[in-house]
């Protein structure tokens, strides 16, 4: 039996979904690497070519199985880059063992990445500040929790963040931390901006230019923040740095030509709520000129610093 056949019984997508479902704290790139590690543990390729093909095929399955593959793709790319490095100097079995070890360390170290982000970002949170947070971000929650432990007193406005209303989850977590918070309508960010000292947003992916792919509404929030001269900070782990270079909203991998298109509606009545969910994007792209700084586990970076870090990882 070949390595491909022996690994065929393993459902990499099913394992990924299981990890996401069972652990609310795990992010897509970490779950992707964890699933790929499990795959490598079970396969028995005899050549490096076969070994690489198995891993690449699994990555393609993972990307195809989700409508939002940006951050998941980042995890897959990290895994494949590590495989490429190891394959040049080791036998198949040595590469397999080293890759399992490196992947396991990556998964186990994901929590430390968030701690590092919080360490670098929390000094920017000061007493009596009012912070605006968009949507829900695990790494932002960790940063604000660290600021609470440092006995800093601050207030937080959170966008409702439709369509999934993920801002409500963030509000409940902050309430349990004892942080005064209020949820605002997505359309109210301009109204509230005058009261805000800084804005924090997470990231599905940070692209080569230093721009940001994140939950829909991030771009318009960045435009308003810049017009109001408010600092706009992105908060993300470095494993979400992705090798993409979008020039507009329509260059994102998640873009579909039928989004917000004028389609003929022949039915006597139209379910506009269903239309809203079906035809609207869930992510948008914020160009780097709208970002003040990025808080990452590598330190506090300017947008231009992202390309330097990607070059170090993929070309060194």
């Amino acid at each position: 039996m070949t390595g491909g056949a022996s690994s065929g019984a393993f459902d990499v997508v099913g394992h990924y979904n299981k990890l996401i479902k069972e652990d609310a704290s795990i992010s897509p790139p970490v779950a992707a690497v964890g699933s790929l590690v499990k795959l490598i543990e079970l396969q028995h390729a005899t050549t490096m070519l076969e070994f690489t093909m198995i891993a690449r095929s699994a990555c393609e399955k993972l990307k195809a199985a989700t409508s939002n593959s940006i951050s998941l793709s980042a995890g897959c790319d990290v895994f494949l880059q590590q495989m490429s490095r190891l394959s040049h100097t080791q036998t198949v079995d040595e590469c397999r063992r080293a890759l399992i070890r490196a992947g396991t360390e990556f998964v186990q170290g994901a929590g430390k990445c968030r701690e590092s982000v919080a360490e670098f970002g929390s000094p920017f949170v000061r007493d009596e500040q009012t912070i605006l947070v968009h949507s829900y971000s695990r790494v932002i929650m960790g940063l604000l929790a660290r600021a609470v432990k440092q006995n800093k007193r601050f207030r937080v406005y959170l966008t409702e963040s439709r369509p999934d209303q993920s801002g409500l989850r963030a509000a409940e977590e902050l309430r349990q931390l004892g942080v005064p918070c209020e949820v605002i309508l997505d359309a109210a960010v301009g109204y509230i901006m005058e009261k805000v000292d800084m804005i924090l947003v997470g990231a599905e992916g940070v692209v080569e230019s230093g721009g940001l792919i994140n939950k829909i509404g991030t771009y318009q929030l960045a435009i308003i923040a810049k017009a109001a001269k408010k600092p706009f900070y992105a908060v993300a782990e470095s494993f979400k740095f992705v090798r993409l270079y979008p020039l507009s909203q329509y260059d994102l991998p998640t873009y579909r030509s039928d989004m917000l298109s004028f389609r003929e509606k022949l039915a006597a009545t139209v379910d506009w709520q269903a239309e809203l969910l079906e035809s609207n994007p869930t992510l948008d792209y914020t160009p780097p000129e709208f970002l003040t700084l990025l808080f990452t586990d590598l330190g506090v970076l300017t947008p231009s610093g992202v390309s330097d870090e990607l070059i170090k990882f993929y070309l060194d």
Side-chain angles (χ1 to χ4, degrees):
M1 182 180 292
T2 67
S6 64
S7 62
F10 177 69
D11 181 4
V12 68
V13 174
H15 189 78
Y16 169 84
N17 291 332
K18 180 172 177 286
L19 291 177
I20 292 290
K21 183 178 180 180
E22 292 180 350
D23 186 354
S25 69
I26 198 169
S27 61
V30 176
V33 171
S35 301
L36 292 169
V37 167
K38 186 67 176 178
L39 170 75
I40 296 303
E41 287 176 344
L42 296 175
Q43 67 82 38
H44 301 287
T46 56
T47 67
M48 192 60 70
L49 176 61
E50 183 184 14
F51 187 45
T52 302
M53 288 178 63
I54 289 170
R56 291 190 180 277
S57 174
C59 288
E60 292 306 314
K61 288 179 181 178
L62 284 170
K63 293 176 185 179
T66 176
S67 59
N68 174 16
S69 62
I70 302 292
S71 61
L72 181 152
S73 295
C76 290
D77 289 347
V78 167
F79 187 87
L80 292 176
Q81 175 63 12
Q82 189 65 30
M83 172 182 281
S84 177
R85 286 175 175 169
L86 294 170
S87 65
H88 292 155
T89 58
Q90 303 188 51
T91 66
V92 175
D93 286 339
E94 288 172 340
C95 180
R96 176 176 171 273
R97 289 193 295 270
L99 196 56
I100 291 170
R101 183 168 59 253
T104 301
E105 290 174 356
F106 174 87
V107 172
Q108 294 174 346
K112 293 181 180 179
C113 282
R114 288 182 194 160
E115 291 175 7
S116 295
V117 175
E119 180 182 353
F120 289 120
S122 59
F124 288 79
V125 179
R126 299 181 177 89
D127 279 334
E128 303 307 322
Q129 273 188 332
T130 299
I131 302 168
L132 175 58
V133 173
H134 181 50
S135 187
Y136 178 86
S137 164
R138 299 174 186 86
V139 70
I140 289 179
M141 290 298 107
L143 188 159
L144 295 178
R146 186 181 183 92
V148 169
K149 290 180 181 179
Q150 294 170 340
N151 297 316
K152 295 179 179 179
R153 296 166 294 176
F154 55 92
R155 301 165 296 275
V156 179
Y157 284 116
L158 302 118
T159 58
E160 178 191 15
S161 191
R162 287 178 60 83
D164 62 1
Q165 297 182 303
S166 53
L168 305 185
R169 176 185 173 187
E172 182 57 27
E173 288 191 17
L174 289 176
R175 187 187 68 83
Q176 292 179 10
L177 288 172
V179 176
C181 57
E182 289 291 340
V183 178
I184 67 170
L185 295 171
D186 293 339
V189 293
Y191 179 90
I192 209 70
M193 190 60 67
E194 186 178 333
K195 295 184 177 182
V196 170
D197 295 303
M198 71 173 180
I199 297 93
L200 293 177
V201 298
E204 288 294 319
V206 183
V207 302
E208 291 182 52
S209 65
L212 198 65
I213 300 173
N214 195 43
K215 180 73 176 291
I216 191 72
T218 303
Y219 181 35
Q220 65 188 25
L221 179 54
I223 292 173
I224 295 170
K226 186 168 185 177
K229 296 181 172 58
K230 303 289 184 176
F232 186 91
Y233 301 119
V235 187
E237 305 96 322
S238 60
F239 55 71
K240 288 186 178 179
F241 292 2
V242 294
R243 291 184 295 172
L244 295 172
Y245 207 106
L247 299 177
S248 74
Q249 307 299 328
Y250 314 109
D251 293 331
L252 299 184
T254 52
Y255 172 71
R256 303 191 324 265
S257 60
D258 62 337
M259 284 180 176
L260 299 176
S261 60
F262 292 96
R263 294 174 292 178
E264 187 175 5
K265 299 172 178 63
L266 301 177
T269 60
V270 176
D271 185 343
W272 288 106
Q273 187 63 36
E275 282 283 320
L276 187 72
L277 295 174
E278 173 63 25
S279 64
N280 274 261
T282 57
L283 300 174
D284 62 25
Y285 166 63
T286 302
E289 59 265 29
F290 291 95
L291 274 64
T292 306
L293 292 169
L294 296 101
F295 304 151
T296 78
D297 52 293
L298 302 176
V300 179
L301 303 179
T302 62
S304 61
V306 174
S307 62
D308 294 336
E309 296 300 331
L310 281 167
I311 289 170
K312 287 178 187 176
F313 183 74
Y314 286 101
L315 297 183
D316 279 6

